[in-house]
Amino acid sequence: MTPPPTRILVTGGAGYIGSHACLRLLEAGLDVVGLDDLSRGHRGAFEAISAAAADLPGSFSPIEASISDRSTCEAALGDHRIELVMHFAALAYVGESVEEPLRYYDNNTGGAISLLQAMNSTGVNRFIFSSTCATYGEPSTDRIPIAEDCPQAPINPYGHSKHMVERVLFDHAYARRAADPAFAFAALRYFNVAGSDPKIRIGEDHRPETHLIPICLEVAAGRREALVIHGDDYPTDDGTCIRDYVHVCDLIDAHIAVMNGLAPGDARALNVGLGHGWSVREVLEACRKITGHPIPERPGPRRPGDPPRLFADSSRIKGEFGWAPHFTELEETVATAWAWMKARPNGYAG
Ligand code: UDP
């Protein structure tokens, strides 16, 4: 067993999930390089992480660059003697991916390949990839909860762009066996991610925001008039879609558990979710309870490509890597997101 890595490159380090990864790795005493082109990430996130790092055991080095900038990635990997890459940098709007597929394949798939090439040329051989349950597409009802062997059949360019990276990784790991038997990777397939750093140093700030929990909270904060429920005639108990919401800090703990448990030669795909779901109406009620605000709602049409129920069978990562989520109550997760929104009503903009 190789010792766990101590010098980590986090791509997308100024984005929602990547910034939480930087912070938790720093809290664990590791040396972190955050790389982000700031096209979707926030300079304010880099600043907040740098400020927090002053009181944390690890060191933080932000770099403003694209994952497709091969020479800068090689320099970052080499100069900082990086041992493992956590790759979060990606475009992640399903609708946008339908409108601009070339951009998604270029950035998400091509960018990941460029990053792997930079790792190859600098001898960095451990990789954790931010994949998604969108790679499963619309699984048949008898496959729910979704396990890793559920057939992958994405239904939009975003899901395909991530699925293709998984394919590349399995092929690359196979090809590297002779030259570098230690090459190892894990693709973590996330379900829904929510919540914020409980100490409110960083948080979720998507522009535009499309996710259910922050939208409910924006209504509570007076930034929107009502939550539009995208379909209330699904075959579920209350007619609205069911999703598996994992707290972002638990998600990062999953990465750290896998990082520490990854064995040389590993090529793994692992689901990350709580294993049960909440309906849109249940989420809305949790947001009402936590904010004390009525949060008006109105019915809207179904959103194309929304399966009625999606939740994970995460027994593999729990059993093999000892991952155990701490935020098991939806209200706890919502409370951290609400604390961030109250503290930073305009997110990183002010
Ligand atoms: N949703 C909704 N209204 C909104 C945003 C989302 O009804 O304004 C629903 C959406 O249709 C889905 C669930 O909430 O059933 C979770 O959506 P989100 O975009 O947060 O995550 P997704 O599951 O699409 O990745």
Side-chain angles (χ1 to χ4, degrees):
M1 188 87 187
T2 42
T6 60
R7 296 181 298 276
I8 317 295
L9 175 71
V10 176
T11 74
Y16 169 45
I17 299 174
S19 60
H20 284 82
C22 290
L23 211 47
R24 283 187 90 73
L25 291 167
L26 289 165
E27 286 173 338
L30 306 186
D31 295 324
V32 179
V33 176
L35 185 127
D36 202 300
D37 65 4
L38 302 183
S39 62
R40 300 281 157 103
H42 303 276
R43 193 175 301 284
F46 267 167
E47 290 165 0
I49 298 164
S50 298
D55 300 321
L56 295 172
S59 73
F60 182 61
S61 309
I63 297 176
E64 184 178 342
S66 162
I67 50 167
S68 301
D69 177 347
R70 180 118 152 242
S71 58
T72 301
C73 287
E74 284 172 350
L77 292 164
D79 293 351
H80 294 272
R81 298 184 299 125
I82 295 296
E83 295 169 290
L84 177 141
V85 175
M86 287 190 187
H87 176 40
F88 300 96
L91 301 172
Y93 291 109
V94 168
E96 187 180 63
S97 80
V98 176
E99 303 289 324
E100 298 181 76
L102 296 184
R103 191 167 168 205
Y104 272 67
Y105 290 120
D106 183 31
N107 186 81
N108 293 2
T109 313
I113 292 170
S114 178
L115 181 62
L116 286 165
Q117 286 169 326
M119 288 173 61
N120 238 8
S121 62
T122 51
V124 180
N125 60 9
R126 282 180 271 183
F127 192 74
I128 299 184
F129 174 55
S130 161
S131 191
T132 166
C133 68
T135 61
Y136 295 116
E138 296 188 37
S140 62
T141 46
D142 61 335
R143 298 304 303 243
I144 293 172
I146 300 168
E148 288 86 353
D149 63 355
C150 178
Q152 289 178 289
I155 55 164
N156 51 58
Y158 167 67
H160 279 295
S161 73
K162 292 279 187 174
H163 185 218
M164 286 162 79
V165 177
E166 288 197 12
R167 185 69 260 154
V168 167
L169 282 167
F170 280 104
D171 289 347
H172 181 54
Y174 183 79
R176 291 297 295 162
R177 279 173 318 156
D180 182 2
F183 181 88
F185 82 88
L188 269 51
R189 298 177 186 154
Y190 316 159
F191 284 64
N192 293 60
V193 186
S196 290
D197 167 37
K199 293 186 181 162
I200 324 296
R201 295 165 292 188
I202 54 173
E204 185 168 16
D205 185 352
H206 292 115
R207 290 159 199 257
E209 187 52 79
T210 60
H211 296 106
L212 178 61
I213 291 175
I215 285 179
C216 289
L217 299 181
E218 284 181 3
V219 178
R223 286 165 54 190
R224 288 178 194 249
E225 281 185 7
L227 171 76
V228 177
I229 296 185
H230 295 315
D232 58 5
D233 57 352
Y234 283 96
T236 59
D237 285 350
D238 67 15
T240 64
C241 289
I242 294 173
R243 296 287 181 273
D244 183 340
Y245 297 86
V246 64
H247 193 281
V248 65
C249 293
D250 282 330
L251 176 71
I252 302 308
D253 284 353
H255 288 70
I256 293 175
V258 171
M259 173 180 90
N260 291 336
L262 204 60
D266 267 351
R268 308 299 308 271
L270 299 158
N271 286 340
V272 190
L274 295 185
H276 55 88
W278 290 275
S279 72
V280 172
R281 285 199 183 286
E282 286 171 330
V283 171
L284 178 57
E285 281 311 321
C287 292
R288 285 174 173 149
K289 188 165 169 202
I290 291 300
T291 63
H293 190 280
I295 312 184
E297 60 178 85
R298 57 185 165 80
R302 288 185 177 195
R303 212 169 51 174
D306 261 351
R309 293 156 79 238
L310 283 180
F311 51 93
D313 175 346
S314 292
S315 43
R316 192 181 277 181
I317 191 169
K318 288 176 178 158
E320 295 183 32
F321 292 89
W323 176 63
H326 296 100
F327 289 85
T328 51
E329 300 298 327
L330 182 62
E331 285 166 15
E332 296 171 344
T333 295
V334 168
T336 64
W338 180 234
W340 161 256
M341 196 171 285
K342 276 195 302 184
R344 302 289 292 266
N346 296 312
Y348 290 108

